[in-house]
Amino acid sequence: MSSSAPKPPNVQFELAKERNRIAADRSLLAWIRLSLTLIGVGFGIDQTVSLLYDQVGDVINPARFSHILSLLLIGMGIYTTIMAAVDYRGELARLNQAEYAYTPRQPLGKTIALALFAIAILSATTIVFRLLIHRQVSAL
Amino acid sequence: MRVDRLLTRQITASVFVYPHYQLPTVMHTPNSEPTPPNPATELAKERNRAAEERTLMAWIRTCLSLISFGVGIDRIVAVLQQNLGDAVNPLRLSRILGLSFVALGTLAMLAAAIDHRYQLQRIQRNDLIYVSRHSPSLVVALVLAILGAIAFLGLLLGTVISF
C-alpha cells in the first residue's frame, strides 16, 4: 500500500459525528420550545389583559406592568432563539472540521435562568407593592 | 457463536424492514475467509437509530407546541372578543400569529418526518461519511425569531397608536 493512499473513513467516528449533530438538533429544538413558550405566554398575557381592561371600561395604561412583562418575555424569546441558532451553527461548523475539538463556552441556559429570576422578582415585588397600596386605599 | 447468530437474525430482519439496508461489510482476505461484521459499528448504528428516534420525538413535541399555541392564541382572543361584544377583526395580530404558528408547525413536522426517513436509510451505509447539512430546525428557529419580532412590534406599535 502506498503512503499516498486515502485513509478509509472510520465509520464509528462518522456515526458519532452524526449523533452529535442530531444531539445539537435536539438542543436547538428544546430552545425553540422554550422560546415559543416565552413568546406565546407574553403575547397571551398582553392580549388577555387588554381585552379585560376593555370589558371593565378602564383607560388602558400603555406603561402597565402586564404590557412591560409581555414585551420582556417576547424579547427574551427572540434573544433565546437567535442565540440558540448561533450556537447550533457553531457546533455544525466544529463538526465539519476533520479534528473535532470540544470548546467550553458560556451556557445560554444560565443567562436565561438569571433573566427569568429577575423577572420573577420584579413581578413578585410589583404584586406585593400593589397589594400594600390597595390596603392603604381601602383603609382610608 | 450466539452473538453472531443474533446479529445475523437482526440483519435479516433489517433487510425486510428497510429495503435499502446495506449488509455489513464482509472483508475477503486472500484466503477468501470472510471477516465478520464489526459489532462495535453495528452497535453504533443502533445508537444512531435510537438518537434519530429521540430527535423525531423532539420534533413532534416542538410541532405540537407550535400548533397548539397557534390554535390557542387565536381561539382565546376570538372568544374573549366575542364575549365582550366586540366585532371580531378577521385580520387581527393574534390571528396572523396563530395561523403562522400552525403553518410553521405543520410544515416543520412534514420536513422532520422526511428527514428522519432519509437519515434512517443513510445510517445503514457501511461507507458512511459525515456530511454537514442544514437542518429544518435552523429554519424553524429563524422563522420563530421573525414571528416573535412581529409580535413584539405589533404590541409596541399597538400601544403607541392607541395611546
Side-chain angles (χ1 to χ4, degrees), chain A residues 11-12 14-15 18-19 21-22 25-26 28 32-33 36 43 46 51 55 62 67 71 74 78 81 88 96, chain B residues 38 40-41 44 48 51 55 58 62 66 84 122 126 128-130 132-133 135 137 141 148 152 155 159 163:
Chain A
V11 180
Q12 283 181 43
E14 302 297 316
L15 282 167
E18 282 288 342
R19 281 199 299 278
R21 202 197 78 90
I22 51 178
D25 248 8
R26 287 198 298 275
L28 179 59
I32 287 172
R33 284 197 296 276
L36 182 66
F43 188 77
D46 189 77
L51 287 168
Q55 190 180 25
H67 190 64
L71 289 176
I74 294 173
I78 298 168
T81 318
Y88 175 78
N96 222 8
Chain B
N38 184 358
T41 308
N48 275 52
T55 310
T62 308
L66 275 167
L84 294 173
R122 230 180 122 247
N126 295 315
L128 179 91
I129 295 174
Y130 172 77
S132 184
R133 61 197 179 280
S135 164
S137 55
F152 188 88
L155 292 188
T159 312
F163 185 60

Side-chain angles (χ1 to χ4, degrees), chain B residues 41-54:
Chain B
T41 308
E42 298 305 305
L43 284 167
K45 283 182 181 178
E46 184 56 37
R47 283 199 297 277
N48 275 52
R49 194 202 59 76
E52 288 289 353
E53 210 164 71
R54 287 197 298 274

Side-chain angles (χ1 to χ4, degrees), chain B:
Chain B
M1 275 169 72
R2 193 164 170 270
V3 176
D4 284 349
R5 273 209 311 275
L6 273 173
L7 196 62
T8 313
R9 200 181 301 163
Q10 280 189 355
I11 290 165
T12 317
S14 303
V15 171
F16 285 113
V17 177
Y18 304 109
H20 300 280
Y21 187 80
Q22 196 179 353
L23 287 169
T25 317
V26 179
M27 306 286 266
H28 289 273
T29 51
N31 300 335
S32 81
E33 270 187 26
T35 313
N38 184 358
T41 308
E42 298 305 305
L43 284 167
K45 283 182 181 178
E46 184 56 37
R47 283 199 297 277
N48 275 52
R49 194 202 59 76
E52 288 289 353
E53 210 164 71
R54 287 197 298 274
T55 310
L56 183 65
M57 284 191 281
W59 269 111
I60 292 170
R61 284 197 300 273
T62 308
C63 294
L64 183 67
S65 303
L66 275 167
I67 294 167
S68 44
F69 260 111
V71 173
I73 286 174
D74 180 63
R75 291 317 304 156
I76 288 171
V77 174
V79 166
L80 275 171
Q81 277 192 337
Q82 276 170 0
N83 283 350
L84 294 173
D86 285 0
V88 180
N89 178 13
L91 264 177
R92 62 187 189 279
L93 182 63
S94 61
R95 173 148 290 175
I96 294 167
L97 211 62
L99 278 177
S100 306
F101 278 156
V102 173
L104 181 64
T106 313
L107 289 176
M109 193 63 255
L110 201 67
I114 292 168
D115 191 55
H116 175 72
R117 205 178 138 77
Y118 171 67
Q119 293 307 322
L120 278 190
Q121 287 176 1
R122 230 180 122 247
I123 57 168
Q124 291 162 16
R125 298 178 65 91
N126 295 315
D127 54 349
L128 179 91
I129 295 174
Y130 172 77
V131 180
S132 184
R133 61 197 179 280
H134 284 291
S135 164
S137 55
L138 200 60
V139 180
V140 172
L142 291 176
V143 175
L144 184 64
I146 293 167
L147 288 177
I150 290 171
F152 188 88
L153 288 174
L155 292 188
L156 202 66
L157 293 175
T159 312
V160 172
I161 290 164
S162 67
F163 185 60

Side-chain angles (χ1 to χ4, degrees), chain A residues 50-111:
Chain A
S50 300
L51 287 168
L52 286 174
Y53 263 114
D54 272 349
Q55 190 180 25
V56 178
D58 278 3
V59 178
I60 300 173
N61 176 13
R64 67 186 185 280
F65 178 69
S66 65
H67 190 64
I68 295 165
L69 181 72
S70 300
L71 289 176
L72 274 174
L73 288 176
I74 294 173
M76 250 178 76
I78 298 168
Y79 172 79
T80 308
T81 318
I82 292 169
M83 292 314 286
V86 168
D87 197 49
Y88 175 78
R89 272 181 73 92
E91 179 63 20
L92 281 195
R94 273 190 297 280
L95 280 172
N96 222 8
Q97 289 166 359
E99 295 294 324
Y100 182 83
Y102 171 73
T103 42
R105 50 202 182 274
Q106 180 75 16
L108 176 60
K110 195 173 143 187
T111 317

